[in-house]
Amino acid sequence: MDQNKQDEEYGYDLFPERKARKPKHITIRDSLFTSRNKCQVMLTFAMEISPYAKLLLNAMKNSGCKVYKDRHFSCEDCDGTVSGGFDAATSQIVLCQNNIHQQAHMNRVVTHELIHAFDHCRAHVDWFNNFRHLACSEIRAANLSGDCSFTNEVSRFNFGLKEHHQQCVRDRAVRSILAVRKVSQEEAQKIVDEVFDSCFKDHAPFGRIPHGNKDATFAYREYVNRDRYYANL
Amino acid sequence: MEQLAERAWRPHRACEDYLSEFRHCKGFRNNFHHYYTYGTAPSCQQWKEDYHNCREWESHKLTEAKDALQKSERRRLEEQKNFTPVWKLRQAPPGDWHRPLD
């Protein structure tokens, strides 16, 4: 398949620095005063402080995919309004330094992408050819990362209360698929509906849907103590 | 031998963990989020019973308390697995996870 066509098919055109496939030459001045540095600093904070991220990093280490900040994360400029992505071909999480400006947003993006990385690590996820797999991971990421919290939805002017979380997860999964694959809205919706029931219930590695930092802290505590848990089951 | 195993057993979590889970479950935030997600109120009674059984085990080493706790936690685990996975789980992590970038 023609490289350009392949790039478009898999959403790589949203991440032009990735597409160039040439390492960008970075001077010291660049690295100290730019959004790349801010991105790196916020990333470090997220990895050390967010209970969501800490749990996922721990779970990935235990699955044999220890995450190294320099190898598995990349701060880049991206097109449009996309905040991040997971590149299965290089096993990297891309963070869009030009679109992430607040720590809370960074925490959420890191969590979201780590969920994709975690799925890649623990299951045979066919990112490029199987839309059901892609949809499933997007459902899980929207569900478990806090993307669909009440506050976030209100800030997007999506007002809803009873079971709105589920509607938000569906919508965001469809949007994520549409952003990286050339399919119609109807097709994407159909695929999401097919796998929703199964994937919405898959809360690994959290064991629950974390609705905020306190939930995530409890989930982290549970995860850290799992040896004792399973030994006494 | 079995007596040794009995004494070696301890509750799955620290008793305070059961209590804090119960309190968290009953709190306003959790109720709100549960309604926002599922359209119903959460059921928290099980955490309270588990805490009670945990304390019973710690104080009196009652077999009923141990059995009840084991039953409760096994059920909790079952509920978490109550879905058909869309994908096949790996036996080993992906081989190229640590491959150096060119």
Side-chain angles (χ1 to χ4, degrees), chain A residues 34-96:
Chain A
T34 57
S35 56
R36 177 167 262 124
N37 188 43
K38 187 179 174 193
C39 175
Q40 298 280 9
V41 170
M42 287 204 289
L43 169 61
T44 309
F45 262 93
M47 285 173 76
E48 288 181 8
I49 294 177
S50 163
Y52 289 84
K54 287 191 329 194
L55 198 163
L56 281 158
L57 290 167
N58 211 320
M60 287 188 69
K61 188 171 86 170
N62 290 316
S63 301
C65 297
K66 186 164 180 204
V67 172
Y68 293 96
K69 192 155 65 100
D70 298 325
R71 165 64 180 85
H72 297 108
F73 281 98
S74 175
C75 286
E76 298 172 10
D77 283 326
C78 310
D79 278 356
T81 53
V82 68
S83 307
F86 174 63
D87 185 0
T90 53
S91 308
Q92 274 198 321
I93 289 172
V94 179
L95 300 170
C96 297

Side-chain angles (χ1 to χ4, degrees), chain A residues 122-133:
Chain A
R122 64 165 180 145
H124 289 286
V125 181
D126 187 354
W127 299 99
F128 299 106
N129 300 315
N130 191 328
F131 286 129
R132 287 164 58 93
H133 288 186

Side-chain angles (χ1 to χ4, degrees), chain A residues 66 71-72 120-124 148 163-166 198 208 211 215 221-222 228-229 232-233, chain B residues 9-13 17 20-21 24 35-37 70 73-74 80 84 88 90 97 99 101:
Chain A
K66 186 164 180 204
R71 165 64 180 85
H72 297 108
H120 178 70
C121 180
R122 64 165 180 145
H124 289 286
C148 282
E163 292 185 74
H164 182 73
H165 177 89
Q166 297 191 37
S198 165
R208 66 184 82 196
H211 291 288
D215 268 338
R221 176 178 74 182
E222 209 176 289
R228 171 175 170 174
Y229 186 88
N232 292 297
L233 205 53
Chain B
W9 186 89
R10 52 180 187 149
H12 310 71
R13 311 167 204 249
D17 287 1
S20 61
E21 288 282 5
H24 177 70
Y35 186 76
Y36 178 67
T37 311
Q70 283 192 311
E73 288 289 6
R74 282 173 191 161
Q80 276 181 28
T84 325
K88 216 177 86 179
R90 288 182 191 264
W97 181 256
R99 191 189 68 203
L101 298 162

Side-chain angles (χ1 to χ4, degrees), chain B residues 14-57:
Chain B
C15 292
E16 309 85 65
D17 287 1
Y18 285 114
L19 186 60
S20 61
E21 288 282 5
F22 172 66
R23 287 187 172 143
H24 177 70
C25 183
K26 294 274 324 157
F28 173 74
R29 279 191 102 95
N30 189 55
N31 272 271
F32 178 84
H33 285 128
H34 201 272
Y35 186 76
Y36 178 67
T37 311
Y38 299 109
T40 57
S43 68
C44 305
Q45 196 53 32
Q46 194 57 51
W47 288 116
K48 192 174 182 191
E49 279 177 34
D50 289 343
Y51 173 66
H52 174 74
N53 284 321
C54 187
R55 299 291 279 154
E56 284 288 293
W57 172 262

Side-chain angles (χ1 to χ4, degrees), chain A residues 35-226:
Chain A
S35 56
R36 177 167 262 124
N37 188 43
K38 187 179 174 193
C39 175
Q40 298 280 9
V41 170
M42 287 204 289
L43 169 61
T44 309
F45 262 93
M47 285 173 76
E48 288 181 8
I49 294 177
S50 163
Y52 289 84
K54 287 191 329 194
L55 198 163
L56 281 158
L57 290 167
N58 211 320
M60 287 188 69
K61 188 171 86 170
N62 290 316
S63 301
C65 297
K66 186 164 180 204
V67 172
Y68 293 96
K69 192 155 65 100
D70 298 325
R71 165 64 180 85
H72 297 108
F73 281 98
S74 175
C75 286
E76 298 172 10
D77 283 326
C78 310
D79 278 356
T81 53
V82 68
S83 307
F86 174 63
D87 185 0
T90 53
S91 308
Q92 274 198 321
I93 289 172
V94 179
L95 300 170
C96 297
Q97 62 201 17
N98 56 328
N99 290 330
I100 305 173
H101 303 296
Q102 292 177 330
Q103 187 63 50
H105 189 193
M106 174 60 84
N107 293 351
R108 199 160 43 83
V109 175
V110 167
T111 304
H112 182 115
E113 303 306 335
L114 275 173
I115 290 170
H116 290 319
F118 177 67
D119 287 341
H120 178 70
C121 180
R122 64 165 180 145
H124 289 286
V125 181
D126 187 354
W127 299 99
F128 299 106
N129 300 315
N130 191 328
F131 286 129
R132 287 164 58 93
H133 288 186
L134 178 63
C136 192
S137 194
E138 291 297 352
I139 288 167
R140 277 175 35 79
N143 186 20
L144 302 169
S145 64
D147 274 348
C148 282
S149 73
F150 181 75
T151 342
N152 281 331
E153 277 290 271
V154 162
S155 72
R156 296 175 196 124
F157 301 108
N158 294 331
F159 300 104
L161 188 54
K162 186 174 178 179
E163 292 185 74
H164 182 73
H165 177 89
Q166 297 191 37
Q167 191 55 49
C168 168
V169 170
R170 281 181 204 267
D171 292 342
R172 288 192 75 77
V174 168
R175 272 185 43 163
S176 295
I177 294 172
L178 291 176
V180 294
R181 294 289 184 273
K182 283 190 166 9
V183 289
S184 67
Q185 168 99 15
E186 290 77 33
E187 239 182 289
Q189 189 70 59
K190 184 166 158 286
I191 297 162
V192 166
D193 288 341
E194 261 176 42
V195 297
F196 186 80
D197 282 331
S198 165
C199 302
F200 188 74
K201 289 187 187 138
D202 184 355
H203 302 154
F206 293 93
R208 66 184 82 196
I209 299 176
H211 291 288
N213 279 325
K214 192 165 180 204
D215 268 338
T217 307
F218 275 49
Y220 183 60
R221 176 178 74 182
E222 209 176 289
Y223 188 80
V224 160
N225 292 325
R226 71 195 178 291

